[in-house]
Amino acid sequence: MNQHDVRLPLTATYRLQLNEQFTLHHALALVPYLERLGVSHLYLSPVLTARAGSTHGYDVADPTHVSDALGGEAALVALAHAAHACGMGVLLDIVPNHMGIGHDNPYWDDVLLHGEASRYASWFDVAWRGSVSALRDKILLPVLGSPLRTVLERGELRLMAVEGRLRLHYFDRHFPIDPATVEPELARRASGNDAELKLAEWAAGAEGRERQHALLSRQHYQLAYWRSARRDLNYRRFF
């Protein structure tokens, strides 16, 4: 048996809840103590990259990388080697159907950008052609504190140019804007100097609100009042 083929009888686990205050490096320092305690396996909370500031790790944002906030892949490998050297195994708490959505998740962001044509669309259980006709080929995002028209009237939505792409900001959330839906005048305002001011001018007043509403209607998602989730949500979520 080599160090990469450790099959140990599972007799006693010790669960470690990892977060930014207790990382894989901290877990490594505990290995000698856990060995003396008689633990057969370290049981680690999720180690994949979660949403920023996550305290539990279940809201995975990138399932292809070990979280840098927890120490990264090198720290996980070091912990595994140390545990194996002490005759212990390592268990990982992985829930495949858990994933945090939002701008932290590049795969979800790509689905919002490209809709069903996204290469990652199959990663998510979305009813693209559900019972609500207005949501055909769209994802409902029930994240607004008020109905969309009210949010627009309050000026709570802002268009920002980020790395050459337009994004729609709503307080601490932001969403991609499909370049194919951006009219030439808006694209011109989003480029060059003073883009933020030019975009604000484009969205100002009653005509600006109508322009924003029309732009949003062309996206692969629909922003909505949070109370609509119970009735109209068209993708599977944990809660």
Side-chain angles (χ1 to χ4, degrees):
M1 181 184 299
N2 60 46
Q3 62 179 344
H4 301 295
D5 187 25
V6 179
R7 297 184 179 89
L8 302 170
L10 195 157
T11 58
T13 64
Y14 194 103
R15 191 179 190 279
L16 298 175
Q17 178 61 55
L18 303 169
N19 52 53
E20 292 183 10
Q21 284 70 50
F22 186 85
T23 68
L24 292 161
H25 299 296
H26 295 97
L28 177 61
L30 286 179
V31 169
Y33 165 72
L34 296 175
E35 180 190 17
R36 295 193 302 271
L37 201 61
V39 171
S40 70
H41 288 73
L42 306 186
Y43 176 21
L44 303 181
S45 64
V47 299
L48 300 177
T49 300
R51 296 184 66 182
S54 176
T55 58
H56 49 76
Y58 286 103
D59 44 355
V60 175
D62 188 347
T64 68
H65 291 92
V66 176
S67 171
D68 289 333
L70 301 182
E73 183 177 350
L76 177 62
V77 171
L79 175 60
H81 285 329
H84 295 166
C86 291
M88 290 185 289
V90 177
L91 299 176
L92 292 180
D93 189 347
I94 297 176
V95 185
N97 64 337
H98 277 217
M99 186 174 283
I101 60 173
H103 56 265
D104 289 327
N105 187 328
Y107 310 101
W108 176 253
D109 207 63
D110 194 84
V111 174
L112 297 185
L113 180 63
H114 299 293
E116 197 172 6
S118 168
R119 69 179 70 181
Y120 307 113
S122 63
W123 288 28
F124 303 91
D125 190 3
V126 179
W128 294 101
R129 281 163 287 282
S131 59
V132 182
S133 59
L135 291 174
R136 183 178 178 84
D137 301 325
K138 291 180 179 287
I139 296 175
L140 182 75
L141 296 182
V143 299
L144 302 180
S146 303
L148 177 58
R149 287 286 186 182
T150 302
V151 169
L152 286 169
E153 288 172 2
R154 291 174 179 167
E156 293 174 348
L157 297 178
R158 290 186 305 135
L159 279 172
M160 303 287 288
V162 181
E163 297 180 353
R165 291 290 187 93
L166 278 175
R167 294 191 70 87
L168 183 74
H169 286 243
Y170 178 65
F171 297 105
D172 61 342
R173 300 172 182 264
H174 50 90
F175 315 92
I177 296 293
D178 183 354
T181 68
V182 177
E183 58 194 43
E185 169 62 15
L186 180 56
R188 183 184 63 79
R189 288 174 177 266
S191 61
N193 298 326
D194 300 321
E196 185 173 350
L197 177 61
K198 293 175 182 176
L199 291 172
E201 292 173 345
W202 179 87
E207 292 184 359
R209 290 194 292 273
E210 289 304 317
R211 285 192 288 264
Q212 286 185 83
H213 194 276
L215 177 66
L216 289 175
S217 71
R218 298 193 290 270
Q219 304 311 306
H220 299 287
Y221 55 85
Q222 180 172 305
L223 296 181
Y225 185 29
W226 67 270
R227 290 184 181 276
S228 66
R230 182 184 296 273
R231 182 186 66 246
D232 299 332
L233 194 70
N234 62 344
Y235 62 89
R236 189 187 304 273
R237 64 180 183 178
F238 178 66
F239 294 105

